[in-house]
Amino acid sequence: MRKSTFLLPIVVVLVALGLSSLFIVDEREKALVLQFGRVIDVKEEPGLAFKIPLIQEVVRYDDRILSREVGPLEVTPLDDRRLVVDAFARYRITDVRQFRQAVGAGGIATAETRLDSILRAKTREILGSVSSNDILSSDRAALMLRIRNGAIAEARDLGLEVIDVRLKRTDLPEANLNATFARMRAEREREAADEVARGNEAAQRIRAQADRTVVELVSEARREAEIVRGEADAQRNAIFAQAFGKDPEFFEFYRSLSAYEKALQGGNSSMVMSPDSEFFNYLKSPSGKSQ
């Protein structure tokens, strides 16, 4: 009875020590075995592993690809047109021993703080070497690649691998938005005024051309009308001359009747002439008196 009383606690302690010496490494993580803060072993393969109880401890780190948001960052490109940039990075821990030595017990939080400093510095350096138009154009992909490549070397000292860097948002600072919008509005108004002026110029040119065409057409029509009228008058005079040549007395009679028609019209007008006037030769009776 006394032996069992002493053996049972010893067995429990041994079992507890045996269990505390075992730990499982998940496939999504890497583990470090530390002894008094010093790295003794690195466990990167998933499965069961051992450590010395009470003396050694296990620190686990995520082996998956992690994301880090880089808060709003103000950059000044070559054209001094300040921009506010938001970015994010994807990274992973590749060397847990180096990672532990670089960040100590701070772990992921300390590493991300230092990674933020690296990304901000590289972003300012790369974006400050180009114009704002380059940042806002399709060249962004090449700029993001340059930022990533620049951050890789410095992040390697932390035991990290920077996989990708992306620019999410690129805007003007709030203080500059109103001035920029006013400048854009002024530029659009100037372009609109230029378009209106060019339109008025084109309209004036078309209107002047149309007026000139009208004058030319009317002048041409009048010239042709005068030609036709002159030819008709010439033909009429020729007919009259031919008729006069054939029968002068009849022609004189016809001309007198035409004159009577124009002169002796109805109305209140009066005509005072001498009875002996030749105008009334064809209105006289055979005795020589007017009818």
Side-chain angles (χ1 to χ4, degrees):
M1 185 70 177
R2 290 182 178 178
K3 289 184 178 180
S4 61
T5 302
F6 288 105
L7 289 175
L8 183 59
I10 294 174
V11 171
V12 171
V13 171
L14 291 176
V15 171
L17 291 175
L19 293 177
S20 64
S21 66
L22 298 176
F23 65 93
I24 298 174
V25 180
D26 191 271
E27 65 271 9
R28 295 168 296 180
E29 63 185 14
K30 296 178 181 180
L32 288 178
V33 179
L34 303 180
Q35 182 173 323
F36 305 117
R38 185 167 57 89
V39 178
I40 299 300
D41 195 8
V42 178
K43 301 296 182 181
E44 297 185 352
E45 297 297 328
L48 190 63
F50 299 91
K51 69 180 180 66
I52 299 175
L54 303 178
I55 298 177
Q56 296 179 344
E57 63 174 326
V58 178
V59 179
R60 304 171 188 271
Y61 296 108
D62 203 326
D63 192 35
R64 295 172 293 181
I65 295 176
L66 305 176
S67 296
R68 179 61 180 172
E69 298 281 342
V70 180
L73 174 66
E74 191 169 298
V75 298
T76 305
L78 289 178
D79 53 6
D80 293 330
R81 185 182 179 185
R82 294 190 302 167
L83 298 174
V84 176
V85 177
D86 283 346
F88 74 92
R90 295 188 183 277
Y91 71 97
R92 68 184 303 173
I93 302 172
T94 55
D95 188 341
V96 289
R97 186 185 296 272
Q98 179 69 25
F99 182 79
R100 178 70 184 188
Q101 293 174 353
V103 302
I108 294 294
T110 302
E112 288 186 340
T113 300
R114 295 179 62 178
L115 182 61
D116 280 355
S117 300
I118 294 172
L119 292 174
R120 285 174 175 270
K122 290 301 176 182
T123 300
R124 282 196 175 100
E125 177 185 347
I126 300 302
L127 299 187
S129 64
V130 297
S131 67
S132 58
N133 291 333
D134 295 331
I135 299 174
L136 300 174
S137 69
S138 58
D139 294 337
R140 285 168 60 110
L143 296 176
M144 291 185 291
L145 184 61
R146 289 175 58 188
I147 295 173
R148 189 207 70 171
N149 293 340
I152 284 177
E154 296 187 26
R156 190 177 294 116
D157 294 337
L158 300 176
L160 303 178
E161 178 190 4
V162 178
I163 298 173
D164 193 16
V165 176
R166 294 287 171 179
L167 300 179
K168 296 194 304 180
R169 180 176 65 97
T170 306
D171 291 331
L172 293 171
E174 189 68 28
N176 294 351
L177 284 178
N178 293 333
T180 300
F181 290 153
R183 185 171 64 253
M184 293 172 61
R185 187 180 301 110
E187 290 177 357
R188 297 300 177 270
E189 290 176 353
R190 179 183 58 79
E191 292 176 359
D194 290 342
E195 290 294 332
V196 171
R198 284 193 291 269
N200 291 335
E201 181 183 356
Q204 188 68 26
R205 186 168 56 251
I206 293 172
R207 192 178 295 111
Q209 182 65 31
D211 292 342
R212 177 180 177 181
T213 302
V214 169
V215 172
E216 290 177 351
L217 291 176
V218 172
S219 300
E220 183 66 19
R222 288 178 177 173
R223 186 182 67 82
E224 293 180 356
E226 291 296 332
I227 292 174
V228 172
R229 187 178 295 110
E231 292 176 349
D233 289 342
Q235 187 176 1
R236 182 194 60 182
N237 293 334
I239 294 172
F240 283 163
Q242 184 179 6
F244 180 78
K246 290 183 177 182
D247 192 346
E249 184 178 356
F250 176 77
F251 182 75
E252 185 178 353
F253 174 72
Y254 173 78
R255 294 293 299 273
S256 297
L257 292 180
S258 297
Y260 296 158
E261 181 182 7
K262 293 179 180 180
L264 302 177
Q265 295 181 355
N268 297 325
S269 59
S270 300
M271 181 181 296
V272 179
M273 297 184 67
S274 171
D276 298 332
S277 175
E278 294 181 356
F279 185 74
F280 295 106
N281 285 341
Y282 293 99
L283 294 180
K284 295 178 181 180
S285 64
S287 61
K289 296 181 179 180
S290 298
Q291 298 291 326

